[in-house]
Amino acid sequence: MRFVVLFCAFLCFLQADTLFENLKNQIDFAKKQYLLYQNDLDFKNLDPKDIIPKPTKPKSPKAQKPSNAQNLPKLLIIMDDIKSLEQFNSLRKIGLNITPSIFPKTPASPKTPEITKHTKEYMIHLPLEALKFPQKELEPLPTGASREEILARLKTIKAQFPNLKYLNNHTGSKFTSSYEDMKVLLSVLDELNLRFIDSVTTPDTTLTRISKEQKRLIMQRDIFLDNRVSEESIILQIELAITKAKQKGYAIAICHPRPSTYKALSKMKNKLSKEVELVSPQELESYLIKRKINLYARSKFHHAQEN
């Protein structure tokens, strides 16, 4: 009987010793993992089987554009002459990616900075001196202005429109045909990290020449949508803009805040959405740079009825 008791006690001792050894191993393992997570342990001293990778959060899938968007021709539509919140809201209601080009703050457009509280995607429609269209109330930049005068004016505009990146000219047939004045303006824009899009209000624009000489990309308007203000004519011009974009892969169209323009754009919404990708100025510039296009291939302007 005494032998049985001693034997049972011996078995209990062996089991306790085993349990103690297991517990010790678990404590050592836990210490290794803790030190590993704290980056305080040399990996070379660890048995590979002891290393447990840190848990990682699954990456959220990135938002993607429709699968065919990359293959569609790019069309930038700019709506010039925006000077009121009402005009901007009418454009926004259409539901298309159309870039508003807003007049700077002048006696004729005193509240335009307020519009930018409702959008971060916009341009400034910069009045430049025209040959036969004075518009003194819009304070156009005159030919012959000094670099200091131009810099001061554009610094004021940039302060009033803090997200500004792109400008295009309002009128400006005299200014844009002046080689020296345009070189000064572009130099100032470079200093302020701003980009210029040529509205091409005259066949004598010097921007193509400067683009070639300076090997710099200057985007230019291909087509006006609403020089003829009937809704039917504007629809034909929108179709022509789509055709131009398909022919060379990209195009720039300019329109204005007219009732017939809003209606025509609304009617053409489905066609525009299916056949081209409407892009911002920055998206179009990135597209062209990616393809190493340094000289904008501007289409000759004409009306659809003249085809």
Side-chain angles (χ1 to χ4, degrees):
M1 184 68 179
R2 184 178 176 185
F3 173 76
V4 173
V5 172
L6 289 173
F7 182 72
C8 289
F10 177 71
L11 289 177
C12 290
F13 173 78
L14 289 176
Q15 187 174 10
D17 186 60
T18 302
L19 290 172
F20 176 77
E21 186 65 28
N22 288 339
L23 180 60
K24 182 176 179 296
N25 289 338
Q26 290 179 24
I27 292 172
D28 289 342
F29 178 76
K31 285 181 178 179
K32 288 179 180 179
Q33 296 305 310
Y34 175 76
L35 291 173
L36 177 60
Y37 285 153
Q38 297 297 318
N39 295 318
D40 291 334
L41 192 63
D42 187 355
F43 282 89
K44 294 179 182 178
N45 294 330
L46 284 177
D47 191 308
K49 68 182 180 181
D50 290 337
I51 299 175
I52 298 176
K54 289 185 182 181
T56 56
K57 293 182 180 179
K59 292 183 179 181
S60 301
K62 292 183 179 180
Q64 296 181 345
K65 290 186 177 183
S67 57
N68 65 334
Q70 292 183 347
N71 300 321
L72 291 175
K74 314 304 175 189
L75 178 60
L76 167 59
I77 300 181
I78 302 168
M79 182 171 279
D80 282 351
D81 294 359
I82 298 292
K83 61 180 178 180
S84 72
L85 188 57
E86 180 183 5
Q87 291 173 332
F88 170 74
N89 285 334
S90 295
L91 174 60
R92 186 165 58 176
K93 286 177 184 176
I94 298 173
L96 289 171
N97 184 18
I98 297 173
T99 302
S101 192
I102 304 168
F103 278 126
K105 184 178 180 180
T106 67
S109 50
K111 297 182 179 180
T112 49
E114 298 293 317
I115 299 172
T116 62
K117 293 179 180 178
H118 303 272
T119 181
K120 292 184 178 180
E121 293 291 337
Y122 61 86
M123 296 170 51
I124 285 298
H125 197 36
L126 182 65
L128 300 178
E129 184 180 358
L131 288 168
K132 299 178 181 179
F133 202 50
Q135 294 188 98
K136 292 181 180 179
E137 69 281 2
L138 286 173
E139 301 177 344
L141 278 178
T143 53
S146 69
R147 191 180 194 282
E148 290 72 23
E149 290 171 326
I150 295 174
L151 179 60
R153 175 74 183 280
L154 287 170
K155 278 185 174 180
T156 299
I157 291 173
K158 192 172 182 181
Q160 293 168 342
F161 299 85
N163 292 313
L164 179 61
K165 295 177 183 175
Y166 293 85
L167 306 91
N168 70 324
N169 53 297
H170 173 69
T171 64
S173 54
K174 185 175 182 179
F175 198 104
T176 57
S177 60
S178 169
Y179 176 73
E180 294 300 330
D181 286 299
M182 278 310 310
K183 283 204 303 181
V184 173
L185 176 58
L186 292 174
S187 170
V188 170
L189 293 174
D190 287 344
E191 181 177 334
L192 299 176
N193 196 27
L194 298 172
R195 301 286 182 269
F196 186 79
I197 297 177
D198 185 6
S199 300
V200 194
T201 56
T202 172
D204 298 322
T205 176
T206 58
L207 272 299
T208 302
R209 174 186 171 187
I210 294 172
S211 176
K212 290 177 180 177
E213 290 178 351
Q214 298 185 2
K215 294 181 172 57
R216 63 187 291 162
L217 175 63
I218 300 175
M219 297 188 290
Q220 296 180 298
R221 185 268 309 155
D222 292 283
I223 183 171
F224 284 118
L225 300 182
D226 52 2
N227 276 8
R228 297 175 180 174
V229 299
S230 73
E231 187 178 322
E232 294 77 12
S233 175
I234 297 169
I235 287 174
L236 289 175
Q237 289 300 99
I238 294 171
E239 290 179 340
L240 183 56
I242 293 171
T243 299
K244 287 178 179 291
K246 288 179 178 179
Q247 287 172 345
K248 60 176 181 170
Y250 59 90
I252 296 176
I254 288 179
C255 61
H256 303 84
R258 299 180 173 129
S260 55
T261 303
Y262 291 129
K263 290 178 182 177
L265 287 168
S266 296
K267 286 186 177 180
M268 294 294 287
K269 181 176 179 178
N270 288 337
K271 187 177 180 68
L272 284 165
S273 299
K274 291 178 182 178
E275 298 191 20
V276 294
E277 181 185 0
L278 293 177
V279 294
S280 68
Q282 189 165 7
E283 288 172 330
L284 180 56
E285 185 176 34
S286 297
Y287 172 84
L288 296 172
I289 290 173
K290 187 177 179 180
R291 282 153 184 79
K292 299 181 180 180
I293 298 172
N294 296 320
L295 182 64
Y296 190 91
R298 178 168 60 90
S299 302
K300 184 178 179 180
F301 173 70
H302 62 277
H303 289 95
Q305 294 94 328
E306 297 169 357
N307 284 350

